[in-house]
PDB file of all heavy atoms in Angstrom:
ATOM      1  N   ASP A 221      15.120 -45.510 -61.396  1.00  0.00           N
ATOM      2  CA  ASP A 221      16.199 -45.304 -60.455  1.00  0.00           C
ATOM      3  C   ASP A 221      16.926 -46.588 -60.257  1.00  0.00           C
ATOM      4  O   ASP A 221      16.316 -47.688 -60.124  1.00  0.00           O
ATOM      5  CB  ASP A 221      15.639 -44.795 -59.115  1.00  0.00           C
ATOM      6  CG  ASP A 221      15.051 -43.416 -59.218  1.00  0.00           C
ATOM      7  OD1 ASP A 221      15.729 -42.502 -59.802  1.00  0.00           O
ATOM      8  OD2 ASP A 221      13.898 -43.209 -58.682  1.00  0.00           O
ATOM      9  N   THR A 252      17.858 -41.736 -61.451  1.00  0.00           N
ATOM     10  CA  THR A 252      19.079 -41.580 -60.710  1.00  0.00           C
ATOM     11  C   THR A 252      19.913 -42.842 -60.685  1.00  0.00           C
ATOM     12  O   THR A 252      19.357 -43.919 -60.960  1.00  0.00           O
ATOM     13  CB  THR A 252      18.821 -41.086 -59.292  1.00  0.00           C
ATOM     14  OG1 THR A 252      18.132 -42.119 -58.593  1.00  0.00           O
ATOM     15  CG2 THR A 252      18.019 -39.801 -59.243  1.00  0.00           C
ATOM     16  N   ASN A 254      22.755 -44.816 -58.009  1.00  0.00           N
ATOM     17  CA  ASN A 254      23.561 -44.795 -56.756  1.00  0.00           C
ATOM     18  C   ASN A 254      24.474 -46.003 -56.731  1.00  0.00           C
ATOM     19  O   ASN A 254      24.060 -47.133 -57.084  1.00  0.00           O
ATOM     20  CB  ASN A 254      22.638 -44.814 -55.496  1.00  0.00           C
ATOM     21  CG  ASN A 254      21.898 -43.520 -55.366  1.00  0.00           C
ATOM     22  OD1 ASN A 254      20.647 -43.501 -55.491  1.00  0.00           O
ATOM     23  ND2 ASN A 254      22.521 -42.413 -55.010  1.00  0.00           N
ATOM     24  N   CYS A 275      20.968 -52.083 -47.062  1.00  0.00           N
ATOM     25  CA  CYS A 275      21.223 -51.060 -48.037  1.00  0.00           C
ATOM     26  C   CYS A 275      20.066 -50.867 -49.000  1.00  0.00           C
ATOM     27  O   CYS A 275      19.659 -49.741 -49.265  1.00  0.00           O
ATOM     28  CB  CYS A 275      22.548 -51.426 -48.763  1.00  0.00           C
ATOM     29  SG  CYS A 275      22.955 -50.218 -50.042  1.00  0.00           S
ATOM     30  N   ILE A 276      19.585 -51.980 -49.456  1.00  0.00           N
ATOM     31  CA  ILE A 276      18.435 -51.928 -50.466  1.00  0.00           C
ATOM     32  C   ILE A 276      17.212 -51.268 -49.802  1.00  0.00           C
ATOM     33  O   ILE A 276      16.598 -50.390 -50.458  1.00  0.00           O
ATOM     34  CB  ILE A 276      18.098 -53.301 -51.002  1.00  0.00           C
ATOM     35  CG1 ILE A 276      19.253 -53.871 -51.830  1.00  0.00           C
ATOM     36  CG2 ILE A 276      16.835 -53.272 -51.796  1.00  0.00           C
ATOM     37  CD1 ILE A 276      19.142 -55.333 -52.228  1.00  0.00           C
ATOM     38  N   LEU A 277      16.904 -51.666 -48.579  1.00  0.00           N
ATOM     39  CA  LEU A 277      15.738 -51.108 -47.955  1.00  0.00           C
ATOM     40  C   LEU A 277      15.931 -49.630 -47.657  1.00  0.00           C
ATOM     41  O   LEU A 277      14.988 -48.826 -47.768  1.00  0.00           O
ATOM     42  CB  LEU A 277      15.421 -51.881 -46.677  1.00  0.00           C
ATOM     43  CG  LEU A 277      15.023 -53.349 -46.863  1.00  0.00           C
ATOM     44  CD1 LEU A 277      14.841 -54.007 -45.532  1.00  0.00           C
ATOM     45  CD2 LEU A 277      13.785 -53.477 -47.715  1.00  0.00           C
ATOM     46  N   GLU A 278      17.078 -49.240 -47.248  1.00  0.00           N
ATOM     47  CA  GLU A 278      17.396 -47.811 -46.954  1.00  0.00           C
ATOM     48  C   GLU A 278      17.279 -47.007 -48.277  1.00  0.00           C
ATOM     49  O   GLU A 278      16.713 -45.885 -48.264  1.00  0.00           O
ATOM     50  CB  GLU A 278      18.758 -47.646 -46.360  1.00  0.00           C
ATOM     51  CG  GLU A 278      19.102 -46.224 -45.971  1.00  0.00           C
ATOM     52  CD  GLU A 278      20.483 -46.136 -45.334  1.00  0.00           C
ATOM     53  OE1 GLU A 278      20.898 -47.065 -44.653  1.00  0.00           O
ATOM     54  OE2 GLU A 278      21.109 -45.053 -45.474  1.00  0.00           O
ATOM     55  N   TRP A 279      17.790 -47.567 -49.334  1.00  0.00           N
ATOM     56  CA  TRP A 279      17.718 -46.869 -50.624  1.00  0.00           C
ATOM     57  C   TRP A 279      16.259 -46.731 -51.056  1.00  0.00           C
ATOM     58  O   TRP A 279      15.877 -45.680 -51.589  1.00  0.00           O
ATOM     59  CB  TRP A 279      18.522 -47.681 -51.674  1.00  0.00           C
ATOM     60  CG  TRP A 279      18.501 -47.104 -53.032  1.00  0.00           C
ATOM     61  CD1 TRP A 279      19.342 -46.152 -53.538  1.00  0.00           C
ATOM     62  CD2 TRP A 279      17.600 -47.519 -54.130  1.00  0.00           C
ATOM     63  NE1 TRP A 279      19.039 -45.906 -54.909  1.00  0.00           N
ATOM     64  CE2 TRP A 279      17.973 -46.717 -55.213  1.00  0.00           C
ATOM     65  CE3 TRP A 279      16.589 -48.436 -54.230  1.00  0.00           C
ATOM     66  CZ2 TRP A 279      17.311 -46.830 -56.465  1.00  0.00           C
ATOM     67  CZ3 TRP A 279      15.903 -48.512 -55.446  1.00  0.00           C
ATOM     68  CH2 TRP A 279      16.280 -47.757 -56.569  1.00  0.00           C
ATOM     69  N   TRP A 280      15.456 -47.812 -50.891  1.00  0.00           N
ATOM     70  CA  TRP A 280      14.062 -47.740 -51.317  1.00  0.00           C
ATOM     71  C   TRP A 280      13.322 -46.731 -50.529  1.00  0.00           C
ATOM     72  O   TRP A 280      12.467 -46.017 -51.080  1.00  0.00           O
ATOM     73  CB  TRP A 280      13.407 -49.107 -51.135  1.00  0.00           C
ATOM     74  CG  TRP A 280      12.000 -49.111 -51.467  1.00  0.00           C
ATOM     75  CD1 TRP A 280      10.917 -49.069 -50.637  1.00  0.00           C
ATOM     76  CD2 TRP A 280      11.391 -48.998 -52.772  1.00  0.00           C
ATOM     77  NE1 TRP A 280       9.718 -49.075 -51.282  1.00  0.00           N
ATOM     78  CE2 TRP A 280       9.990 -48.988 -52.633  1.00  0.00           C
ATOM     79  CE3 TRP A 280      11.975 -48.986 -54.075  1.00  0.00           C
ATOM     80  CZ2 TRP A 280       9.146 -48.942 -53.737  1.00  0.00           C
ATOM     81  CZ3 TRP A 280      11.085 -48.955 -55.165  1.00  0.00           C
ATOM     82  CH2 TRP A 280       9.696 -48.920 -54.966  1.00  0.00           C
ATOM     83  N   GLU A 281      13.634 -46.576 -49.220  1.00  0.00           N
ATOM     84  CA  GLU A 281      12.954 -45.564 -48.398  1.00  0.00           C
ATOM     85  C   GLU A 281      13.332 -44.208 -48.893  1.00  0.00           C
ATOM     86  O   GLU A 281      12.470 -43.270 -48.935  1.00  0.00           O
ATOM     87  CB  GLU A 281      13.316 -45.740 -46.943  1.00  0.00           C
ATOM     88  CG  GLU A 281      12.701 -44.742 -46.002  1.00  0.00           C
ATOM     89  CD  GLU A 281      11.194 -44.726 -46.012  1.00  0.00           C
ATOM     90  OE1 GLU A 281      10.582 -45.742 -46.372  1.00  0.00           O
ATOM     91  OE2 GLU A 281      10.629 -43.625 -45.751  1.00  0.00           O
ATOM     92  N   ALA A 282      14.609 -43.989 -49.289  1.00  0.00           N
ATOM     93  CA  ALA A 282      15.028 -42.718 -49.810  1.00  0.00           C
ATOM     94  C   ALA A 282      14.311 -42.429 -51.138  1.00  0.00           C
ATOM     95  O   ALA A 282      13.929 -41.240 -51.379  1.00  0.00           O
ATOM     96  CB  ALA A 282      16.541 -42.687 -50.029  1.00  0.00           C
ATOM     97  N   LYS A 283      14.129 -43.400 -51.964  1.00  0.00           N
ATOM     98  CA  LYS A 283      13.424 -43.253 -53.184  1.00  0.00           C
ATOM     99  C   LYS A 283      11.948 -42.927 -52.885  1.00  0.00           C
ATOM    100  O   LYS A 283      11.366 -41.955 -53.534  1.00  0.00           O
ATOM    101  CB  LYS A 283      13.455 -44.520 -54.064  1.00  0.00           C
ATOM    102  CG  LYS A 283      12.604 -44.463 -55.317  1.00  0.00           C
ATOM    103  CD  LYS A 283      12.708 -45.721 -56.108  1.00  0.00           C
ATOM    104  CE  LYS A 283      11.651 -45.705 -57.250  1.00  0.00           C
ATOM    105  NZ  LYS A 283      11.724 -44.511 -58.112  1.00  0.00           N
ATOM    106  N   ARG A 284      11.332 -43.578 -51.958  1.00  0.00           N
ATOM    107  CA  ARG A 284       9.922 -43.407 -51.663  1.00  0.00           C
ATOM    108  C   ARG A 284       9.727 -41.958 -51.149  1.00  0.00           C
ATOM    109  O   ARG A 284       8.704 -41.290 -51.404  1.00  0.00           O
ATOM    110  CB  ARG A 284       9.450 -44.396 -50.572  1.00  0.00           C
ATOM    111  CG  ARG A 284       8.016 -44.412 -50.352  1.00  0.00           C
ATOM    112  CD  ARG A 284       7.647 -45.187 -49.062  1.00  0.00           C
ATOM    113  NE  ARG A 284       8.229 -44.496 -47.878  1.00  0.00           N
ATOM    114  CZ  ARG A 284       7.652 -43.447 -47.341  1.00  0.00           C
ATOM    115  NH1 ARG A 284       6.505 -42.942 -47.842  1.00  0.00           N
ATOM    116  NH2 ARG A 284       8.180 -42.940 -46.227  1.00  0.00           N
ATOM    117  N   SER A 285      10.714 -41.444 -50.417  1.00  0.00           N
ATOM    118  CA  SER A 285      10.592 -40.095 -49.853  1.00  0.00           C
ATOM    119  C   SER A 285      10.987 -39.015 -50.814  1.00  0.00           C
ATOM    120  O   SER A 285      10.890 -37.808 -50.558  1.00  0.00           O
ATOM    121  CB  SER A 285      11.429 -39.959 -48.560  1.00  0.00           C
ATOM    122  OG  SER A 285      12.848 -40.059 -48.918  1.00  0.00           O
ATOM    123  N   GLY A 286      11.503 -39.441 -52.000  1.00  0.00           N
ATOM    124  CA  GLY A 286      11.864 -38.442 -53.029  1.00  0.00           C
ATOM    125  C   GLY A 286      13.247 -37.752 -52.755  1.00  0.00           C
ATOM    126  O   GLY A 286      13.511 -36.711 -53.332  1.00  0.00           O
ATOM    127  N   SER A 287      14.085 -38.412 -51.990  1.00  0.00           N
ATOM    128  CA  SER A 287      15.356 -37.781 -51.628  1.00  0.00           C
ATOM    129  C   SER A 287      16.564 -38.338 -52.345  1.00  0.00           C
ATOM    130  O   SER A 287      17.731 -37.963 -52.043  1.00  0.00           O
ATOM    131  CB  SER A 287      15.573 -37.857 -50.108  1.00  0.00           C
ATOM    132  OG  SER A 287      15.630 -39.236 -49.698  1.00  0.00           O
ATOM    133  N   LEU A 288      16.378 -39.164 -53.351  1.00  0.00           N
ATOM    134  CA  LEU A 288      17.508 -39.791 -54.080  1.00  0.00           C
ATOM    135  C   LEU A 288      18.166 -38.712 -54.936  1.00  0.00           C
ATOM    136  O   LEU A 288      17.500 -37.969 -55.641  1.00  0.00           O
ATOM    137  CB  LEU A 288      17.068 -40.921 -54.971  1.00  0.00           C
ATOM    138  CG  LEU A 288      16.741 -42.277 -54.285  1.00  0.00           C
ATOM    139  CD1 LEU A 288      16.295 -43.306 -55.355  1.00  0.00           C
ATOM    140  CD2 LEU A 288      17.910 -42.795 -53.514  1.00  0.00           C
ATOM    141  N   THR A 289      19.490 -38.755 -54.996  1.00  0.00           N
ATOM    142  CA  THR A 289      20.293 -37.973 -55.918  1.00  0.00           C
ATOM    143  C   THR A 289      21.423 -38.910 -56.389  1.00  0.00           C
ATOM    144  O   THR A 289      21.913 -39.737 -55.691  1.00  0.00           O
ATOM    145  CB  THR A 289      20.895 -36.708 -55.322  1.00  0.00           C
ATOM    146  OG1 THR A 289      21.682 -37.040 -54.179  1.00  0.00           O
ATOM    147  CG2 THR A 289      19.796 -35.714 -54.921  1.00  0.00           C
ATOM    148  N   PHE A 293      26.403 -44.083 -52.520  1.00  0.00           N
ATOM    149  CA  PHE A 293      25.293 -44.250 -51.545  1.00  0.00           C
ATOM    150  C   PHE A 293      25.759 -44.999 -50.351  1.00  0.00           C
ATOM    151  O   PHE A 293      26.471 -46.031 -50.475  1.00  0.00           O
ATOM    152  CB  PHE A 293      24.119 -45.023 -52.205  1.00  0.00           C
ATOM    153  CG  PHE A 293      22.918 -45.139 -51.291  1.00  0.00           C
ATOM    154  CD1 PHE A 293      22.083 -44.092 -51.105  1.00  0.00           C
ATOM    155  CD2 PHE A 293      22.656 -46.374 -50.656  1.00  0.00           C
ATOM    156  CE1 PHE A 293      20.958 -44.193 -50.295  1.00  0.00           C
ATOM    157  CE2 PHE A 293      21.567 -46.508 -49.825  1.00  0.00           C
ATOM    158  CZ  PHE A 293      20.700 -45.427 -49.661  1.00  0.00           C
TER     159      PHE A 293
END
Side-chain angles (χ1 to χ4, degrees):
D221 291 314
T252 63
N254 293 111
C275 178
I276 294 172
L277 294 178
E278 183 179 329
W279 178 86
W280 177 256
E281 178 58 28
K283 173 178 172 55
R284 191 193 64 80
S285 65
S287 60
L288 284 180
T289 57
F293 185 78

